[in-house]
Amino acid sequence: MKTAALLWPVTAKAAIDYNMPEIFANRPWHHQIPISLFNGSPRYQLEMNSKFGHIRNGLSQPALDDFVLASTEETIKTKKPELMLIHFVDLDSQRHMHGFSSKEAQDALHRHDHRLGKILEATKEAGIYENTTFVLLGDHSALDESKVVKLNVLFKERGLIKVNGAGKVNDWKAYCKSCDGSAYVYVSDENDIETKNTVTELLAQLLQERSNGIEKVITGQEANTMGADGSAFRMLEAARGFYFSEAIDGEYIEEVSEQDAISKRYTLACHGYSPEKDGYHTVFFAAGKGIRTGISVRSMHLVDEGPTFARLLGLDLGDTDGRVLEGILDI
Ligand SMILES: [Zn+2]
């Protein structure tokens, strides 16, 4: 099939015909333009950038999504891909910066609605509207928070993290790796019972007071059964209103100010919480070819999406996680 993807996560170097991957220059000597170009389709990206680059302003929103939209419309009309993946980030960014239900987030939802309309229009212009299935989905929701939990501050105080003269970590026995709403605690030496005991005692102590921001602690093995990293010593879940940072300086708990969020030092909403958190679901809409109308899916999992899309494309993923959402299909 002819395929296209715009800023779709984890697509660097993928076998996609027209690929503008979501990949960031994350080393000081890397530059965003060559990183994007050589991990995707260079000619396609140069073409889109020369036509619509004027819309973009680095990675800032909503300009980035407007650039992606213009590239999407052009790709639909000129390439007519058989599978196209488009990742818009406007809503996610606004929620991080301004909060889940902020006016800025509401405005982003309206912009997404407008973008969706433009995509439908483009398929009509390309003459493929009747043959297209449209799916709108999220890979996560977000929750408001106003306090940052910095466990590494306590690890440093107990000598488990050592820093050099410039204040950078140069040795560690235990380290808290943040996933925002949750976090891992790694212990560098599997046989270091003393460090493990220190960490266990500290976490037990922190769990006693909700104001310490930790709601739940599970073992690496328990994390593994949930699909998370089993090589961690512990996995932590933040209490509502809190999230984790890896910072090693300042107080253990820090309040987030509006200025912190705008300057991107901290956020006012984030994700990475346990899927078991209340009211933390994302969305899934489907319409068009092969989709029955007026059906509500009461509950599903992200892993059901792959097998369902494969079925819509006339493919079969074989023995894989998830189930085909038979109830919504009319094929
Ligand atoms: Zn996000």
Side-chain angles (χ1 to χ4, degrees), residues 2-14:
K2 202 194 291 177
T3 52
L6 288 109
L7 298 199
W8 199 259
V10 210
T11 51
K13 303 250 189 207

Side-chain angles (χ1 to χ4, degrees), residues 12-30:
K13 303 250 189 207
I16 294 168
D17 297 308
Y18 302 104
N19 192 14
M20 185 185 290
E22 181 183 65
I23 179 166
F24 303 108
N26 56 5
R27 297 285 184 277
W29 57 90
H30 286 172

Side-chain angles (χ1 to χ4, degrees), residues 143-186:
L143 292 173
D144 286 327
E145 28 74 3
S146 60
K147 291 192 178 86
V148 189
V149 180
K150 299 189 292 181
L151 195 56
N152 287 335
V153 167
L154 302 185
F155 287 169
K156 194 174 101 180
E157 275 175 20
R158 282 158 182 74
L160 302 177
I161 291 178
K162 296 263 195 309
V163 295
N164 64 16
K168 292 251 184 269
V169 176
N170 63 0
D171 196 20
W172 59 279
K173 290 179 173 175
Y175 191 85
C176 176
K177 189 91 190 102
S178 167
C179 312
D180 285 359
S182 58
Y184 292 109
V185 174
Y186 291 95

Side-chain angles (χ1 to χ4, degrees), residues 74-134:
E74 179 75 6
T75 305
I76 290 170
K77 288 183 221 168
T78 60
K79 325 277 188 211
K80 298 188 190 179
E82 292 156 284
L83 171 67
M84 187 167 188
L85 309 166
I86 312 139
H87 178 205
F88 290 119
V89 192
D90 195 358
L91 178 64
D92 181 62
S93 299
Q94 303 301 339
R95 281 182 170 162
H96 280 302
M97 268 194 293
H98 303 284
F100 189 90
S101 306
S102 60
K103 180 179 182 303
E104 289 84 353
Q106 297 297 322
D107 290 348
L109 272 171
H110 286 293
R111 286 194 290 273
H112 276 355
D113 185 39
H114 169 78
R115 289 173 186 128
L116 178 59
K118 290 290 211 179
I119 291 170
L120 298 182
E121 277 305 313
T123 62
K124 285 179 185 168
E125 256 184 69
I128 57 172
Y129 175 76
E130 301 293 336
N131 281 323
T132 303
T133 311
F134 299 92

